[in-house]
Amino acid sequence: MPIAVDIDVMLAKRKMSVGELAERVGITPANLAVLKNGRAKAVRFSTLAALCEVLECQPGDLLRWETEEPADASAGPTSGSTAGPASGSTADSTMA
C-alpha cells in the first residue's frame, strides 16, 4: 500500500505505549494495532485528529505516501516465463 503509517515512530518519540494511546484516543488497542501496522483500509478524520491531539503532532507525522514498486521487480525475469507484467499486477491487486 502506498500509504505508510508511522504511529510507532511517534509513540517512541513520546515514550507512550499502544495501550495508553488507545485509551487516550478512545479506540480499542486492537483497532489501533490494525492502523499502526498498515492494515487499515480507512481512518476517520475524527480518529486522526484525536491521534494528533494526543501525540501533539500533525497528520503528516503519522502518515506518508510512498511509491509502490512492483513485487517482482527485484527478482528479474525468469526463464521460460511468457507472462508479462500484467499478470503480476493482477495478483497484487487481489491481495489486500
Side-chain angles (χ1 to χ4, degrees):
M1 175 183 276
I3 302 296
V5 182
D6 291 329
I7 291 175
D8 51 352
V9 173
M10 291 306 297
L11 283 170
K13 285 182 179 180
R14 302 296 186 248
K15 297 179 180 164
M16 188 181 299
S17 70
V18 172
E20 181 183 352
L21 179 60
E23 183 177 326
R24 291 178 62 184
V25 169
I27 61 175
T28 66
N31 283 341
L32 181 57
V34 167
L35 179 59
K36 185 174 85 70
N37 295 324
R39 295 187 315 255
K41 300 289 183 193
V43 60
R44 292 180 183 187
F45 280 179
S46 59
T47 302
L48 183 58
L51 287 166
C52 290
E53 183 177 352
V54 170
L55 292 170
E56 298 178 351
C57 66
Q58 294 295 313
D61 296 325
L62 302 177
L63 304 172
R64 65 187 152 80
W65 178 80
E66 294 181 336
T67 59
E68 284 190 271
E69 298 202 16
D72 55 357
S74 62
T78 57
S79 62
S81 173
T82 58
S87 67
S89 64
T90 302
D92 289 343
S93 67
T94 59
M95 298 174 68

